[in-house]
Amino acid sequence: SQTIHQWPATLVQPVGSPLSLECTVEGTSNPNLYWYRQAAGRGLQLLFYSVGIGQISSEVPQNLSASRPQDRQFILSSKKLLLSDSGFYLCASQGQGTSSYNSPLHFGNGTRLTVT
Amino acid sequence: AQSVSQHNHHVILSEAASLELGCNYSYGGTVNLFWYVQYPGQHLQLLLKYFSGDPLVKGIKGFEAEFIKSKFSFNLRKPSVQWSDTAEYFCAVNLRNFGNEKLTFGTGTRLTIIP
């Protein structure tokens, strides 16, 4: 089965500083990868998804960007953090070539980001 | 726009009580429905799913959910909860034949079971 590794688990960064959150996947190849954010009192919001190396789709305009330099590596970045970037960030993976009704998402443990 | 509503933000129950967590969605077509659960200190994981067929679906750990199309609902139930059911529960909905990039989550319900 798939295992999703995310780090760091918690992060406190000042406004204007850069950000890099990393996610790696084990147990599958060519997965679809996703970055979600959960803000307080809100549901999981999809930020980015990727169906392959170098292929990134953005769901919402924001201060963040994503990259997929390797098949099982997904990175969430920002050049200058805003206070509104605070939240809980989750990386998820799904087997390539399967849609939601065939394969559930596998999630990492998340990163709690606090921008001060 | 598509939306998923979970009206219960925090539910507190005693052990052995019965549970029902509400989930309503607003979609214009045929849907797939999911409940995900996050136990304390663990990652989010699938609890159960509905794609088609019997609208009453069984999941892990004695949970079940019923799809009522006329009410646009997919409520989660368990006849007798245990302390270990303490977790956060998320309902999620997707349009049939679409990938997870179209999956919409509710805001979640935090369930606390008192021993």
Side-chain angles (χ1 to χ4, degrees), chain A residues 34 38 43 94 100-101 105 109, chain B residues 36 43 51 94 98 100 106:
Chain A
Y34 307 82
Q38 184 183 11
Q94 176 196 27
S100 66
Y101 61 87
L105 290 172
N109 285 333
Chain B
Y36 280 84
H43 58 270
F51 295 148
N94 199 355
F98 277 78
N100 276 318

Side-chain angles (χ1 to χ4, degrees), chain B residues 13-19 78-85 112-115:
Chain B
L13 294 172
S14 298
E15 275 191 310
S18 64
L19 168 73
K78 186 170 183 178
S80 177
V81 294
Q82 301 171 307
W83 176 78
S84 58
D85 294 325
T112 302
I113 305 300
I114 301 171

Side-chain angles (χ1 to χ4, degrees), chain A residues 47-96:
Chain A
L47 302 176
F48 300 95
Y49 70 95
S50 170
V51 298
I53 295 174
Q55 301 179 61
I56 308 295
S57 297
S58 174
E59 287 297 296
V60 293
Q62 57 211 324
N63 184 43
L64 303 168
S65 61
S67 62
R68 185 169 177 175
Q70 300 181 44
D71 179 48
R72 288 174 287 178
Q73 184 184 29
F74 204 23
I75 298 172
L76 184 69
S77 304
S78 174
K79 291 182 180 179
K80 289 185 178 181
L81 283 168
L82 305 172
L83 285 174
S84 57
D85 292 324
S86 293
F88 190 60
Y89 290 84
L90 285 165
C91 178
S93 172
Q94 176 196 27
Q96 179 67 290

Side-chain angles (χ1 to χ4, degrees), chain A residues 12-51:
Chain A
V12 180
Q13 292 281 99
V15 167
S17 64
L19 172 73
S20 180
L21 301 182
E22 189 162 343
C23 169
T24 59
V25 181
E26 292 180 1
T28 187
S29 58
N30 302 315
N32 293 335
L33 297 175
Y34 307 82
W35 276 112
Y36 285 89
R37 176 170 61 198
Q38 184 183 11
R42 301 182 65 179
L44 292 167
Q45 180 188 34
L46 180 63
L47 302 176
F48 300 95
Y49 70 95
S50 170
V51 298

